Tab-separated table of all heavy atoms in Angstrom:
chain	number	residue	atom	x	y	z
A	15	GLY	N	4.165	11.762	37.211
A	15	GLY	CA	5.070	12.447	36.464
A	15	GLY	C	4.651	13.030	35.250
A	15	GLY	O	3.374	13.227	35.150
A	16	ASP	N	5.450	13.568	34.387
A	16	ASP	CA	5.097	14.283	33.161
A	16	ASP	C	5.164	13.249	32.023
A	16	ASP	O	6.189	12.619	31.732
A	16	ASP	CB	6.190	15.339	32.942
A	16	ASP	CG	5.943	16.106	31.663
A	16	ASP	OD1	5.147	15.613	30.801
A	16	ASP	OD2	6.701	16.972	31.425
A	17	ILE	N	4.041	12.877	31.458
A	17	ILE	CA	3.920	11.828	30.479
A	17	ILE	C	4.901	12.151	29.226
A	17	ILE	O	5.298	11.190	28.568
A	17	ILE	CB	2.493	11.683	29.926
A	17	ILE	CG1	2.339	10.303	29.332
A	17	ILE	CG2	2.032	12.784	29.024
A	17	ILE	CD1	0.812	9.889	29.107
A	18	THR	N	5.302	13.387	29.022
A	18	THR	CA	6.112	13.609	27.828
A	18	THR	C	7.500	13.046	27.945
A	18	THR	O	8.235	12.952	27.046
A	18	THR	CB	6.238	15.180	27.525
A	18	THR	OG1	6.927	15.736	28.715
A	18	THR	CG2	4.847	15.749	27.413
A	28	ALA	N	-4.522	13.358	25.781
A	28	ALA	CA	-5.967	13.750	26.147
A	28	ALA	C	-6.236	14.968	25.256
A	28	ALA	O	-6.046	16.078	25.691
A	28	ALA	CB	-6.170	13.934	27.587
A	29	ALA	N	-6.759	14.722	23.959
A	29	ALA	CA	-6.788	15.835	23.097
A	29	ALA	C	-8.198	16.348	23.045
A	29	ALA	O	-9.112	15.949	23.801
A	29	ALA	CB	-6.442	15.286	21.669
A	30	ASN	N	-8.497	17.306	22.081
A	30	ASN	CA	-9.873	17.757	21.850
A	30	ASN	C	-10.146	17.346	20.385
A	30	ASN	O	-9.301	16.991	19.650
A	30	ASN	CB	-10.080	19.212	22.108
A	30	ASN	CG	-9.169	20.102	21.187
A	30	ASN	OD1	-9.200	19.974	19.943
A	30	ASN	ND2	-8.249	20.829	21.827
A	35	GLY	N	-4.209	20.842	19.396
A	35	GLY	CA	-3.576	21.246	20.638
A	35	GLY	C	-4.456	21.970	21.580
A	35	GLY	O	-5.670	22.251	21.281
A	36	GLY	N	-3.901	22.297	22.696
A	36	GLY	CA	-4.707	22.909	23.806
A	36	GLY	C	-3.790	23.141	24.961
A	36	GLY	O	-2.576	23.358	24.871
A	37	GLY	N	-4.477	22.965	26.140
A	37	GLY	CA	-3.676	23.188	27.458
A	37	GLY	C	-3.308	21.758	28.016
A	37	GLY	O	-3.168	20.795	27.230
A	38	GLY	N	-3.241	21.700	29.305
A	38	GLY	CA	-3.062	20.463	29.960
A	38	GLY	C	-2.042	19.529	29.325
A	38	GLY	O	-0.952	20.021	28.853
A	39	VAL	N	-2.366	18.239	29.358
A	39	VAL	CA	-1.375	17.174	28.784
A	39	VAL	C	-1.223	17.451	27.311
A	39	VAL	O	-0.232	17.321	26.708
A	39	VAL	CB	-1.810	15.860	29.117
A	39	VAL	CG1	-3.095	15.340	28.375
A	39	VAL	CG2	-0.653	14.869	28.913
A	40	ASP	N	-2.349	17.850	26.607
A	40	ASP	CA	-2.285	18.223	25.173
A	40	ASP	C	-1.213	19.260	24.886
A	40	ASP	O	-0.380	19.103	23.976
A	40	ASP	CB	-3.747	18.747	24.698
A	40	ASP	CG	-3.900	18.675	23.234
A	40	ASP	OD1	-2.999	18.060	22.582
A	40	ASP	OD2	-4.949	19.113	22.805
A	42	ALA	N	1.322	20.104	26.770
A	42	ALA	CA	2.637	19.632	27.080
A	42	ALA	C	3.258	18.696	26.029
A	42	ALA	O	4.344	18.825	25.665
A	42	ALA	CB	2.547	18.769	28.440
A	120	PRO	N	-2.386	9.085	30.262
A	120	PRO	CA	-2.734	10.112	31.252
A	120	PRO	C	-4.151	9.763	31.770
A	120	PRO	O	-4.760	8.902	31.240
A	120	PRO	CB	-2.731	11.521	30.509
A	120	PRO	CG	-3.272	11.098	29.211
A	120	PRO	CD	-2.734	9.641	28.893
A	121	ALA	N	-4.534	10.595	32.794
A	121	ALA	CA	-5.906	10.345	33.299
A	121	ALA	C	-6.928	11.097	32.414
A	121	ALA	O	-7.248	12.197	32.711
A	121	ALA	CB	-5.964	10.718	34.742
A	122	ILE	N	-7.241	10.514	31.404
A	122	ILE	CA	-8.109	11.165	30.277
A	122	ILE	C	-9.419	11.778	30.908
A	122	ILE	O	-10.105	11.198	31.738
A	122	ILE	CB	-8.436	10.188	29.203
A	122	ILE	CG1	-7.172	9.601	28.585
A	122	ILE	CG2	-9.321	10.728	28.154
A	122	ILE	CD1	-7.400	8.342	27.732
A	123	SER	N	-9.580	12.972	30.582
A	123	SER	CA	-10.935	13.729	30.837
A	123	SER	C	-10.943	14.249	32.352
A	123	SER	O	-11.988	15.020	32.632
A	123	SER	CB	-12.133	12.859	30.572
A	123	SER	OG	-12.547	12.814	29.257
A	124	THR	N	-9.952	14.005	33.084
A	124	THR	CA	-10.059	14.322	34.544
A	124	THR	C	-9.475	15.707	34.783
A	124	THR	O	-9.470	16.200	35.928
A	124	THR	CB	-9.322	13.293	35.428
A	124	THR	OG1	-7.922	13.420	35.171
A	124	THR	CG2	-9.899	11.926	35.169
A	125	GLY	N	-9.170	16.392	33.790
A	125	GLY	CA	-8.608	17.796	34.001
A	125	GLY	C	-9.634	18.835	33.519
A	125	GLY	O	-10.725	18.933	34.126
A	126	VAL	N	-9.380	19.419	32.407
A	126	VAL	CA	-10.323	20.529	31.870
A	126	VAL	C	-11.688	19.984	31.676
A	126	VAL	O	-12.629	20.574	31.889
A	126	VAL	CB	-9.684	21.035	30.479
A	126	VAL	CG1	-10.691	21.828	29.715
A	126	VAL	CG2	-8.442	21.799	30.756
A	127	TYR	N	-11.763	18.669	31.268
A	127	TYR	CA	-13.085	18.013	30.962
A	127	TYR	C	-13.807	17.611	32.193
A	127	TYR	O	-14.906	17.216	32.058
A	127	TYR	CB	-12.907	16.840	29.923
A	127	TYR	CG	-12.627	17.337	28.481
A	127	TYR	CD1	-12.677	18.741	28.208
A	127	TYR	CD2	-12.490	16.422	27.562
A	127	TYR	CE1	-12.462	19.116	26.872
A	127	TYR	CE2	-12.371	16.793	26.165
A	127	TYR	CZ	-12.360	18.120	25.907
A	127	TYR	OH	-12.162	18.587	24.520
A	128	GLY	N	-13.249	17.692	33.340
A	128	GLY	CA	-13.969	17.661	34.563
A	128	GLY	C	-14.509	16.305	35.150
A	128	GLY	O	-15.298	16.254	36.020
A	155	VAL	N	0.102	7.280	33.984
A	155	VAL	CA	0.936	8.407	34.430
A	155	VAL	C	0.074	9.474	35.056
A	155	VAL	O	-0.693	10.140	34.317
A	155	VAL	CB	1.766	8.971	33.284
A	155	VAL	CG1	2.726	10.088	33.807
A	155	VAL	CG2	2.587	7.829	32.685
A	156	CYS	N	0.203	9.575	36.353
A	156	CYS	CA	-0.734	10.645	37.037
A	156	CYS	C	0.140	11.887	37.218
A	156	CYS	O	1.350	11.838	37.207
A	156	CYS	CB	-1.105	10.097	38.456
A	156	CYS	SG	-2.090	8.537	38.333
A	157	PHE	N	-0.591	13.018	37.288
A	157	PHE	CA	0.142	14.352	37.373
A	157	PHE	C	0.081	14.817	38.798
A	157	PHE	O	0.736	15.926	39.123
A	157	PHE	CB	-0.443	15.287	36.412
A	157	PHE	CG	0.498	16.363	35.882
A	157	PHE	CD1	1.728	15.997	35.346
A	157	PHE	CD2	0.091	17.759	35.912
A	157	PHE	CE1	2.565	17.025	34.941
A	157	PHE	CE2	0.955	18.753	35.326
A	157	PHE	CZ	2.184	18.283	34.972
A	158	ASN	N	-0.654	14.191	39.635
A	158	ASN	CA	-0.800	14.608	41.064
A	158	ASN	C	-1.077	13.486	41.937
A	158	ASN	O	-1.545	12.446	41.422
A	158	ASN	CB	-1.760	15.759	41.167
A	158	ASN	CG	-3.209	15.368	40.546
A	158	ASN	OD1	-3.702	14.299	40.960
A	158	ASN	ND2	-3.630	16.041	39.650
B	1	APR	N1	1.590	14.628	32.160
B	1	APR	C1	0.647	13.705	32.620
B	1	APR	N2	-0.467	14.119	32.975
B	1	APR	C2	-0.779	15.343	32.875
B	1	APR	C3	0.100	16.319	32.288
B	1	APR	C4	1.399	15.819	31.949
B	1	APR	N3	2.295	16.678	31.395
B	1	APR	N4	-0.495	17.556	32.277
B	1	APR	C5	-1.737	17.430	32.729
B	1	APR	N5	-1.940	16.073	33.115
B	1	APR	C6	-3.123	15.529	33.663
B	1	APR	C7	-4.117	16.292	34.373
B	1	APR	O1	-3.719	16.580	35.761
B	1	APR	C8	-5.337	15.514	34.320
B	1	APR	O2	-5.325	14.532	35.392
B	1	APR	O3	-3.865	14.961	32.581
B	1	APR	C9	-5.183	14.751	33.020
B	1	APR	C10	-6.044	15.202	31.909
B	1	APR	O4	-6.219	16.655	32.029
B	1	APR	P1	-6.290	17.622	30.755
B	1	APR	O5	-4.883	17.625	30.071
B	1	APR	O6	-6.901	18.821	31.176
B	1	APR	O7	-7.149	16.840	29.652
B	1	APR	P2	-8.813	16.638	29.663
B	1	APR	O8	-9.426	16.766	31.017
B	1	APR	O9	-8.977	15.354	28.954
B	1	APR	O10	-9.300	17.866	28.828
B	1	APR	C11	-8.947	17.890	27.444
B	1	APR	O11	-8.058	20.010	27.642
B	1	APR	O12	-5.891	20.679	27.163
B	1	APR	C12	-7.098	20.573	26.587
B	1	APR	O13	-6.879	20.384	24.222
B	1	APR	C13	-7.315	19.672	25.459
B	1	APR	O14	-9.530	20.514	24.943
B	1	APR	C14	-8.730	19.348	25.453
B	1	APR	C15	-9.101	19.278	26.922
Side-chain angles (χ1 to χ4, degrees):
D16 174 353
I17 200 167
T18 65
N30 60 58
V39 72
D40 197 6
I122 299 165
S123 282
T124 64
V126 168
Y127 281 1
V155 182
C156 300
F157 208 48
N158 54 53

